Amino acid sequence: QVQLVESGGGLVQPGGSLRLSCVASGRVSSIYNMGWYRQAPGKRRELVADTSGGTTNYADSVKGRFTISRDNAKNTVYLQMNSLKPEDTAVYYCNVRTVVSGWSWGQGTQVTVSS
């Protein structure tokens, strides 16, 4: 089993920045993908960005504004979010995939972009 602890959400004005962090613990030896999803009220959960084997993947809506990075030594994945827009408001969930435990989710962290 993998446990995920997220941090870094909050309230920010349009155009501002936030950095999300997610630390994985437990059965982490077989992690092959780490990423972030988000879910806005009344909408389906969607992929924001993920990284696997040095390859990164971004939703079109965040390309050029968000950057995902990973520290394998710390089992940590980050999401740097710049030029935030009101439509980025959502609960952001860390996602980790392992060979042994399959998909695991964090508890979610709220990001609100508002003036």
Short mmCIF file of all heavy atoms in Angstrom, two decimals, residues 8-74:
data_model
loop_
_atom_site.label_atom_id
_atom_site.label_comp_id
_atom_site.label_asym_id
_atom_site.label_seq_id
_atom_site.Cartn_x
_atom_site.Cartn_y
_atom_site.Cartn_z
N GLY A 8 0.49 22.45 -0.14
CA GLY A 8 0.78 23.56 -1.03
C GLY A 8 -0.42 24.25 -1.64
O GLY A 8 -0.26 25.25 -2.33
N GLY A 9 -1.62 23.75 -1.42
CA GLY A 9 -2.78 24.43 -1.99
C GLY A 9 -3.09 25.72 -1.24
O GLY A 9 -2.44 26.05 -0.25
N GLY A 10 -4.09 26.44 -1.74
CA GLY A 10 -4.48 27.67 -1.07
C GLY A 10 -5.22 28.62 -2.00
O GLY A 10 -5.64 28.23 -3.09
N LEU A 11 -5.34 29.84 -1.54
CA LEU A 11 -6.03 30.90 -2.30
C LEU A 11 -4.98 31.81 -2.94
O LEU A 11 -4.06 32.27 -2.25
CB LEU A 11 -6.93 31.71 -1.37
CG LEU A 11 -7.58 32.96 -1.94
CD1 LEU A 11 -8.55 32.60 -3.06
CD2 LEU A 11 -8.29 33.74 -0.84
N VAL A 12 -5.15 32.08 -4.21
CA VAL A 12 -4.20 32.93 -4.92
C VAL A 12 -4.96 33.79 -5.92
O VAL A 12 -6.02 33.38 -6.42
CB VAL A 12 -3.11 32.08 -5.62
CG1 VAL A 12 -3.72 31.19 -6.70
CG2 VAL A 12 -2.00 32.94 -6.19
N GLN A 13 -4.44 34.95 -6.20
CA GLN A 13 -5.07 35.84 -7.17
C GLN A 13 -4.75 35.39 -8.60
O GLN A 13 -3.73 34.74 -8.83
CB GLN A 13 -4.60 37.28 -6.97
CG GLN A 13 -5.06 37.90 -5.67
CD GLN A 13 -4.68 39.36 -5.57
OE1 GLN A 13 -3.81 39.85 -6.30
NE2 GLN A 13 -5.33 40.08 -4.67
N PRO A 14 -5.61 35.73 -9.55
CA PRO A 14 -5.30 35.42 -10.95
C PRO A 14 -3.93 35.96 -11.34
O PRO A 14 -3.57 37.08 -10.97
CB PRO A 14 -6.41 36.12 -11.72
CG PRO A 14 -7.55 36.15 -10.76
CD PRO A 14 -6.94 36.36 -9.41
N GLY A 15 -3.18 35.14 -12.06
CA GLY A 15 -1.83 35.50 -12.44
C GLY A 15 -0.77 35.07 -11.44
O GLY A 15 0.43 35.14 -11.73
N GLY A 16 -1.20 34.59 -10.29
CA GLY A 16 -0.27 34.18 -9.25
C GLY A 16 0.25 32.77 -9.45
O GLY A 16 -0.04 32.10 -10.46
N SER A 17 1.03 32.32 -8.47
CA SER A 17 1.66 31.00 -8.55
C SER A 17 1.46 30.23 -7.25
O SER A 17 1.32 30.82 -6.17
CB SER A 17 3.17 31.15 -8.79
OG SER A 17 3.45 31.79 -10.01
N LEU A 18 1.48 28.92 -7.39
CA LEU A 18 1.47 28.01 -6.26
C LEU A 18 2.31 26.79 -6.62
O LEU A 18 2.45 26.45 -7.80
CB LEU A 18 0.04 27.53 -5.93
CG LEU A 18 -0.90 28.46 -5.20
CD1 LEU A 18 -2.29 27.83 -5.11
CD2 LEU A 18 -0.38 28.81 -3.81
N ARG A 19 2.84 26.15 -5.60
CA ARG A 19 3.59 24.91 -5.81
C ARG A 19 3.00 23.83 -4.92
O ARG A 19 2.97 23.98 -3.70
CB ARG A 19 5.07 25.11 -5.47
CG ARG A 19 5.94 23.93 -5.85
CD ARG A 19 7.31 24.07 -5.23
NE ARG A 19 8.28 23.17 -5.82
CZ ARG A 19 9.36 22.72 -5.18
NH1 ARG A 19 9.59 23.08 -3.94
NH2 ARG A 19 10.20 21.90 -5.79
N LEU A 20 2.55 22.77 -5.55
CA LEU A 20 2.03 21.62 -4.83
C LEU A 20 3.13 20.57 -4.66
O LEU A 20 3.96 20.40 -5.55
CB LEU A 20 0.85 21.00 -5.57
CG LEU A 20 -0.32 21.91 -5.93
CD1 LEU A 20 -1.43 21.12 -6.60
CD2 LEU A 20 -0.84 22.65 -4.71
N SER A 21 3.08 19.89 -3.52
CA SER A 21 4.01 18.80 -3.26
C SER A 21 3.24 17.56 -2.82
O SER A 21 2.19 17.67 -2.19
CB SER A 21 5.00 19.18 -2.15
OG SER A 21 5.74 20.32 -2.49
N CYS A 22 3.78 16.41 -3.13
CA CYS A 22 3.17 15.15 -2.73
C CYS A 22 4.27 14.16 -2.39
O CYS A 22 5.11 13.85 -3.24
CB CYS A 22 2.29 14.60 -3.84
SG CYS A 22 1.62 12.95 -3.53
N VAL A 23 4.25 13.69 -1.14
CA VAL A 23 5.25 12.74 -0.68
C VAL A 23 4.61 11.36 -0.58
O VAL A 23 3.56 11.20 0.06
CB VAL A 23 5.83 13.14 0.68
CG1 VAL A 23 6.87 12.14 1.13
CG2 VAL A 23 6.42 14.55 0.61
N ALA A 24 5.26 10.39 -1.19
CA ALA A 24 4.77 9.01 -1.14
C ALA A 24 5.56 8.21 -0.13
O ALA A 24 6.79 8.35 -0.02
CB ALA A 24 4.89 8.37 -2.52
N SER A 25 4.86 7.33 0.59
CA SER A 25 5.52 6.44 1.54
C SER A 25 4.83 5.08 1.49
O SER A 25 3.76 4.91 0.90
CB SER A 25 5.46 7.02 2.96
OG SER A 25 4.13 7.17 3.38
N GLY A 26 5.47 4.11 2.14
CA GLY A 26 4.92 2.75 2.10
C GLY A 26 5.62 1.93 1.03
O GLY A 26 6.83 1.98 0.88
N ARG A 27 4.85 1.24 0.22
CA ARG A 27 5.40 0.34 -0.80
C ARG A 27 5.70 1.13 -2.08
O ARG A 27 4.97 1.05 -3.06
CB ARG A 27 4.45 -0.81 -1.07
CG ARG A 27 4.09 -1.59 0.20
CD ARG A 27 3.25 -2.80 -0.09
NE ARG A 27 4.02 -3.86 -0.74
CZ ARG A 27 3.55 -5.07 -1.00
NH1 ARG A 27 2.30 -5.37 -0.70
NH2 ARG A 27 4.30 -5.98 -1.58
N VAL A 28 6.77 1.89 -2.02
CA VAL A 28 7.09 2.82 -3.10
C VAL A 28 8.14 2.30 -4.06
O VAL A 28 8.48 2.98 -5.03
CB VAL A 28 7.53 4.19 -2.54
CG1 VAL A 28 6.41 4.82 -1.72
CG2 VAL A 28 8.80 4.03 -1.69
N SER A 29 8.66 1.13 -3.82
CA SER A 29 9.79 0.65 -4.62
C SER A 29 9.43 0.42 -6.08
O SER A 29 10.29 0.42 -6.95
CB SER A 29 10.34 -0.63 -4.01
OG SER A 29 9.34 -1.64 -4.02
N SER A 30 8.15 0.21 -6.37
CA SER A 30 7.77 -0.12 -7.74
C SER A 30 6.99 1.03 -8.42
O SER A 30 6.26 0.79 -9.38
CB SER A 30 6.94 -1.40 -7.78
OG SER A 30 5.73 -1.23 -7.07
N ILE A 31 7.18 2.27 -7.93
CA ILE A 31 6.51 3.41 -8.57
C ILE A 31 6.98 3.56 -10.00
O ILE A 31 8.18 3.56 -10.26
CB ILE A 31 6.78 4.71 -7.80
CG1 ILE A 31 6.07 4.71 -6.44
CG2 ILE A 31 6.32 5.92 -8.62
CD1 ILE A 31 6.35 5.93 -5.59
N TYR A 32 6.04 3.67 -10.94
CA TYR A 32 6.42 3.90 -12.33
C TYR A 32 5.79 5.16 -12.91
O TYR A 32 6.14 5.58 -14.01
CB TYR A 32 6.11 2.69 -13.20
CG TYR A 32 4.64 2.36 -13.34
CD1 TYR A 32 3.87 2.94 -14.35
CD2 TYR A 32 4.03 1.48 -12.47
CE1 TYR A 32 2.54 2.63 -14.49
CE2 TYR A 32 2.70 1.17 -12.59
CZ TYR A 32 1.95 1.75 -13.60
OH TYR A 32 0.62 1.45 -13.72
N ASN A 33 4.86 5.76 -12.20
CA ASN A 33 4.23 6.98 -12.69
C ASN A 33 3.76 7.82 -11.50
O ASN A 33 3.20 7.28 -10.55
CB ASN A 33 3.05 6.65 -13.60
CG ASN A 33 2.43 7.87 -14.25
OD1 ASN A 33 1.78 8.68 -13.59
ND2 ASN A 33 2.60 8.00 -15.55
N MET A 34 4.00 9.12 -11.58
CA MET A 34 3.51 10.05 -10.56
C MET A 34 2.86 11.23 -11.28
O MET A 34 3.37 11.68 -12.32
CB MET A 34 4.64 10.54 -9.65
CG MET A 34 5.38 9.43 -8.93
SD MET A 34 6.65 10.05 -7.80
CE MET A 34 5.64 10.47 -6.37
N GLY A 35 1.77 11.71 -10.73
CA GLY A 35 1.10 12.81 -11.41
C GLY A 35 0.08 13.52 -10.56
O GLY A 35 -0.06 13.24 -9.37
N TRP A 36 -0.60 14.45 -11.22
CA TRP A 36 -1.62 15.27 -10.57
C TRP A 36 -2.89 15.27 -11.42
O TRP A 36 -2.82 15.42 -12.65
CB TRP A 36 -1.12 16.70 -10.40
CG TRP A 36 0.01 16.83 -9.44
CD1 TRP A 36 1.34 16.78 -9.73
CD2 TRP A 36 -0.10 17.03 -8.03
NE1 TRP A 36 2.07 16.92 -8.58
CE2 TRP A 36 1.21 17.09 -7.52
CE3 TRP A 36 -1.17 17.18 -7.15
CZ2 TRP A 36 1.48 17.28 -6.16
CZ3 TRP A 36 -0.90 17.36 -5.81
CH2 TRP A 36 0.41 17.40 -5.32
N TYR A 37 -4.01 15.14 -10.75
CA TYR A 37 -5.32 15.28 -11.34
C TYR A 37 -6.04 16.41 -10.60
O TYR A 37 -5.62 16.82 -9.52
CB TYR A 37 -6.12 13.99 -11.20
CG TYR A 37 -5.69 12.88 -12.11
CD1 TYR A 37 -4.47 12.24 -11.93
CD2 TYR A 37 -6.50 12.45 -13.16
CE1 TYR A 37 -4.07 11.21 -12.78
CE2 TYR A 37 -6.12 11.42 -14.01
CZ TYR A 37 -4.90 10.80 -13.80
OH TYR A 37 -4.51 9.79 -14.63
N ARG A 38 -7.12 16.88 -11.18
CA ARG A 38 -7.94 17.89 -10.49
C ARG A 38 -9.41 17.66 -10.79
O ARG A 38 -9.77 17.07 -11.81
CB ARG A 38 -7.53 19.30 -10.90
CG ARG A 38 -7.83 19.67 -12.34
CD ARG A 38 -7.27 21.06 -12.65
NE ARG A 38 -7.55 21.45 -14.03
CZ ARG A 38 -7.06 22.56 -14.60
NH1 ARG A 38 -6.26 23.37 -13.90
NH2 ARG A 38 -7.36 22.85 -15.85
N GLN A 39 -10.23 18.14 -9.86
CA GLN A 39 -11.67 18.02 -10.03
C GLN A 39 -12.34 19.30 -9.54
O GLN A 39 -12.22 19.66 -8.36
CB GLN A 39 -12.21 16.82 -9.24
CG GLN A 39 -13.67 16.53 -9.52
CD GLN A 39 -14.10 15.18 -9.00
OE1 GLN A 39 -13.45 14.58 -8.14
NE2 GLN A 39 -15.22 14.67 -9.51
N ALA A 40 -13.00 19.97 -10.46
CA ALA A 40 -13.75 21.17 -10.14
C ALA A 40 -15.19 20.78 -9.81
O ALA A 40 -15.66 19.71 -10.22
CB ALA A 40 -13.72 22.13 -11.33
N PRO A 41 -15.90 21.63 -9.08
CA PRO A 41 -17.29 21.31 -8.72
C PRO A 41 -18.14 21.01 -9.94
O PRO A 41 -18.14 21.76 -10.91
CB PRO A 41 -17.76 22.58 -8.01
CG PRO A 41 -16.52 23.18 -7.46
CD PRO A 41 -15.45 22.89 -8.47
N GLY A 42 -18.85 19.89 -9.91
CA GLY A 42 -19.73 19.52 -11.00
C GLY A 42 -19.04 18.96 -12.22
O GLY A 42 -19.69 18.71 -13.24
N LYS A 43 -17.73 18.76 -12.13
CA LYS A 43 -16.98 18.25 -13.29
C LYS A 43 -16.28 16.94 -12.93
O LYS A 43 -16.10 16.61 -11.77
CB LYS A 43 -15.96 19.29 -13.76
CG LYS A 43 -16.59 20.56 -14.29
CD LYS A 43 -15.54 21.46 -14.94
CE LYS A 43 -16.18 22.69 -15.56
NZ LYS A 43 -15.16 23.56 -16.22
N ARG A 44 -15.87 16.23 -13.98
CA ARG A 44 -15.16 14.99 -13.78
C ARG A 44 -13.70 15.26 -13.43
O ARG A 44 -13.14 16.31 -13.77
CB ARG A 44 -15.21 14.15 -15.06
CG ARG A 44 -16.61 13.73 -15.47
CD ARG A 44 -16.60 12.97 -16.77
NE ARG A 44 -15.85 11.70 -16.66
CZ ARG A 44 -15.72 10.85 -17.66
NH1 ARG A 44 -16.23 11.12 -18.84
NH2 ARG A 44 -15.06 9.72 -17.48
N ARG A 45 -13.10 14.31 -12.72
CA ARG A 45 -11.67 14.43 -12.41
C ARG A 45 -10.89 14.30 -13.72
O ARG A 45 -11.17 13.44 -14.55
CB ARG A 45 -11.25 13.32 -11.43
CG ARG A 45 -9.86 13.50 -10.88
CD ARG A 45 -9.56 12.48 -9.79
NE ARG A 45 -10.44 12.64 -8.63
CZ ARG A 45 -10.27 11.99 -7.48
NH1 ARG A 45 -9.25 11.14 -7.34
NH2 ARG A 45 -11.11 12.17 -6.48
N GLU A 46 -9.89 15.18 -13.88
CA GLU A 46 -9.12 15.18 -15.11
C GLU A 46 -7.63 15.20 -14.82
O GLU A 46 -7.18 15.73 -13.80
CB GLU A 46 -9.48 16.41 -15.96
CG GLU A 46 -9.16 17.75 -15.31
CD GLU A 46 -9.44 18.94 -16.22
OE1 GLU A 46 -9.90 18.75 -17.35
OE2 GLU A 46 -9.15 20.08 -15.77
N LEU A 47 -6.88 14.64 -15.75
CA LEU A 47 -5.44 14.66 -15.64
C LEU A 47 -4.93 16.08 -15.85
O LEU A 47 -5.31 16.75 -16.80
CB LEU A 47 -4.81 13.73 -16.67
CG LEU A 47 -3.29 13.76 -16.76
CD1 LEU A 47 -2.65 13.15 -15.51
CD2 LEU A 47 -2.81 13.03 -18.02
N VAL A 48 -4.02 16.50 -14.96
CA VAL A 48 -3.34 17.78 -15.14
C VAL A 48 -1.97 17.55 -15.76
O VAL A 48 -1.60 18.14 -16.77
CB VAL A 48 -3.18 18.52 -13.80
CG1 VAL A 48 -2.40 19.81 -13.98
CG2 VAL A 48 -4.55 18.79 -13.18
N ALA A 49 -1.20 16.66 -15.11
CA ALA A 49 0.14 16.34 -15.60
C ALA A 49 0.62 15.07 -14.94
O ALA A 49 0.23 14.77 -13.80
CB ALA A 49 1.12 17.48 -15.30
N ASP A 50 1.46 14.33 -15.65
CA ASP A 50 2.10 13.18 -15.02
C ASP A 50 3.47 12.97 -15.62
O ASP A 50 3.83 13.57 -16.64
CB ASP A 50 1.25 11.91 -15.07
CG ASP A 50 1.00 11.39 -16.47
OD1 ASP A 50 1.59 11.92 -17.43
OD2 ASP A 50 0.19 10.45 -16.62
N THR A 51 4.26 12.14 -14.93
CA THR A 51 5.63 11.89 -15.36
C THR A 51 5.97 10.43 -15.13
O THR A 51 5.67 9.85 -14.08
CB THR A 51 6.61 12.82 -14.63
OG1 THR A 51 7.95 12.50 -15.02
CG2 THR A 51 6.49 12.72 -13.11
N SER A 52 6.61 9.86 -16.15
CA SER A 52 6.98 8.45 -16.10
C SER A 52 8.23 8.23 -16.91
O SER A 52 8.26 8.60 -18.09
CB SER A 52 5.83 7.60 -16.65
OG SER A 52 6.20 6.23 -16.70
N GLY A 53 9.26 7.68 -16.29
CA GLY A 53 10.48 7.37 -17.01
C GLY A 53 11.10 8.54 -17.71
O GLY A 53 11.68 8.40 -18.80
N GLY A 54 10.98 9.72 -17.13
CA GLY A 54 11.56 10.92 -17.72
C GLY A 54 10.66 11.61 -18.72
O GLY A 54 10.99 12.69 -19.23
N THR A 55 9.54 11.02 -19.03
CA THR A 55 8.58 11.63 -19.95
C THR A 55 7.49 12.33 -19.17
O THR A 55 6.99 11.79 -18.18
CB THR A 55 7.94 10.54 -20.84
OG1 THR A 55 8.96 9.89 -21.60
CG2 THR A 55 6.94 11.16 -21.80
N THR A 56 7.15 13.53 -19.60
CA THR A 56 6.07 14.27 -18.94
C THR A 56 4.90 14.46 -19.91
O THR A 56 5.09 14.51 -21.13
CB THR A 56 6.54 15.64 -18.45
OG1 THR A 56 7.07 16.38 -19.56
CG2 THR A 56 7.62 15.50 -17.40
N ASN A 57 3.71 14.59 -19.34
CA ASN A 57 2.49 14.72 -20.11
C ASN A 57 1.64 15.78 -19.45
O ASN A 57 1.47 15.76 -18.22
CB ASN A 57 1.77 13.36 -20.13
CG ASN A 57 0.48 13.40 -20.88
OD1 ASN A 57 0.39 13.97 -21.96
ND2 ASN A 57 -0.54 12.79 -20.31
N TYR A 58 1.12 16.71 -20.23
CA TYR A 58 0.32 17.82 -19.68
C TYR A 58 -1.04 17.91 -20.39
O TYR A 58 -1.13 17.68 -21.59
CB TYR A 58 1.03 19.15 -19.85
CG TYR A 58 2.30 19.29 -19.06
CD1 TYR A 58 3.54 18.99 -19.62
CD2 TYR A 58 2.27 19.75 -17.75
CE1 TYR A 58 4.70 19.12 -18.90
CE2 TYR A 58 3.44 19.90 -17.02
CZ TYR A 58 4.65 19.58 -17.59
OH TYR A 58 5.82 19.72 -16.87
N ALA A 59 -2.03 18.32 -19.63
CA ALA A 59 -3.30 18.70 -20.25
C ALA A 59 -3.07 19.95 -21.09
O ALA A 59 -2.27 20.82 -20.72
CB ALA A 59 -4.34 18.97 -19.18
N ASP A 60 -3.77 20.06 -22.19
CA ASP A 60 -3.60 21.21 -23.06
C ASP A 60 -3.86 22.52 -22.32
O ASP A 60 -3.21 23.54 -22.59
CB ASP A 60 -4.55 21.11 -24.26
CG ASP A 60 -4.12 20.04 -25.26
OD1 ASP A 60 -2.94 19.61 -25.21
OD2 ASP A 60 -4.96 19.64 -26.07
N SER A 61 -4.78 22.49 -21.38
CA SER A 61 -5.18 23.72 -20.69
C SER A 61 -4.09 24.27 -19.77
O SER A 61 -4.18 25.43 -19.35
CB SER A 61 -6.45 23.47 -19.88
OG SER A 61 -6.23 22.43 -18.93
N VAL A 62 -3.08 23.47 -19.45
CA VAL A 62 -2.05 23.94 -18.52
C VAL A 62 -0.66 24.01 -19.16
O VAL A 62 0.29 24.47 -18.52
CB VAL A 62 -1.98 23.05 -17.26
CG1 VAL A 62 -3.34 22.94 -16.60
CG2 VAL A 62 -1.40 21.69 -17.56
N LYS A 63 -0.55 23.59 -20.41
CA LYS A 63 0.75 23.61 -21.08
C LYS A 63 1.31 25.03 -21.11
O LYS A 63 0.61 25.99 -21.43
CB LYS A 63 0.62 23.07 -22.51
CG LYS A 63 0.51 21.56 -22.58
CD LYS A 63 0.38 21.09 -24.02
CE LYS A 63 0.26 19.57 -24.08
NZ LYS A 63 0.07 19.09 -25.47
N GLY A 64 2.59 25.14 -20.76
CA GLY A 64 3.25 26.43 -20.76
C GLY A 64 3.07 27.21 -19.46
O GLY A 64 3.74 28.23 -19.25
N ARG A 65 2.19 26.73 -18.58
CA ARG A 65 1.95 27.41 -17.30
C ARG A 65 2.34 26.54 -16.11
O ARG A 65 2.82 27.04 -15.09
CB ARG A 65 0.48 27.80 -17.17
CG ARG A 65 0.00 28.73 -18.25
CD ARG A 65 -1.43 29.24 -17.97
NE ARG A 65 -2.41 28.16 -17.92
CZ ARG A 65 -3.17 27.90 -16.87
NH1 ARG A 65 -3.05 28.62 -15.76
NH2 ARG A 65 -4.05 26.92 -16.92
N PHE A 66 2.11 25.24 -16.23
CA PHE A 66 2.40 24.31 -15.13
C PHE A 66 3.62 23.47 -15.48
O PHE A 66 3.84 23.13 -16.65
CB PHE A 66 1.22 23.38 -14.90
CG PHE A 66 -0.01 24.01 -14.33
CD1 PHE A 66 -0.16 25.40 -14.25
CD2 PHE A 66 -1.06 23.22 -13.86
CE1 PHE A 66 -1.30 25.98 -13.74
CE2 PHE A 66 -2.20 23.78 -13.33
CZ PHE A 66 -2.32 25.17 -13.28
N THR A 67 4.38 23.11 -14.44
CA THR A 67 5.53 22.23 -14.63
C THR A 67 5.52 21.14 -13.56
O THR A 67 5.46 21.46 -12.37
CB THR A 67 6.85 23.01 -14.52
OG1 THR A 67 6.86 24.06 -15.50
CG2 THR A 67 8.04 22.10 -14.78
N ILE A 68 5.59 19.90 -13.99
CA ILE A 68 5.67 18.79 -13.06
C ILE A 68 7.13 18.35 -12.94
O ILE A 68 7.87 18.36 -13.93
CB ILE A 68 4.77 17.62 -13.51
CG1 ILE A 68 4.67 16.55 -12.41
CG2 ILE A 68 5.24 17.01 -14.83
CD1 ILE A 68 3.61 15.49 -12.68
N SER A 69 7.52 18.01 -11.72
CA SER A 69 8.86 17.50 -11.50
C SER A 69 8.82 16.43 -10.42
O SER A 69 7.84 16.34 -9.67
CB SER A 69 9.83 18.63 -11.12
OG SER A 69 9.41 19.26 -9.93
N ARG A 70 9.89 15.68 -10.34
CA ARG A 70 9.88 14.52 -9.46
C ARG A 70 11.26 14.35 -8.83
O ARG A 70 12.27 14.48 -9.52
CB ARG A 70 9.51 13.30 -10.29
CG ARG A 70 9.50 11.96 -9.60
CD ARG A 70 8.97 10.92 -10.58
NE ARG A 70 9.16 9.56 -10.09
CZ ARG A 70 8.77 8.47 -10.73
NH1 ARG A 70 8.15 8.58 -11.89
NH2 ARG A 70 8.99 7.28 -10.21
N ASP A 71 11.28 14.08 -7.55
CA ASP A 71 12.52 13.78 -6.83
C ASP A 71 12.44 12.32 -6.39
O ASP A 71 11.77 12.00 -5.41
CB ASP A 71 12.68 14.72 -5.64
CG ASP A 71 14.01 14.54 -4.93
OD1 ASP A 71 14.59 13.43 -5.00
OD2 ASP A 71 14.45 15.49 -4.29
N ASN A 72 13.07 11.46 -7.14
CA ASN A 72 12.96 10.02 -6.86
C ASN A 72 13.56 9.65 -5.50
O ASN A 72 13.05 8.75 -4.83
CB ASN A 72 13.63 9.21 -7.96
CG ASN A 72 12.87 9.28 -9.26
OD1 ASN A 72 11.65 9.39 -9.28
ND2 ASN A 72 13.59 9.26 -10.38
N ALA A 73 14.61 10.34 -5.11
CA ALA A 73 15.25 10.04 -3.82
C ALA A 73 14.31 10.32 -2.66
O ALA A 73 14.40 9.68 -1.61
CB ALA A 73 16.53 10.85 -3.68
N LYS A 74 13.42 11.29 -2.85
CA LYS A 74 12.48 11.66 -1.79
C LYS A 74 11.07 11.13 -2.04
O LYS A 74 10.16 11.42 -1.28
CB LYS A 74 12.42 13.18 -1.66
CG LYS A 74 13.73 13.82 -1.23
CD LYS A 74 13.59 15.33 -1.10
CE LYS A 74 14.89 15.97 -0.65
NZ LYS A 74 14.75 17.46 -0.53
#
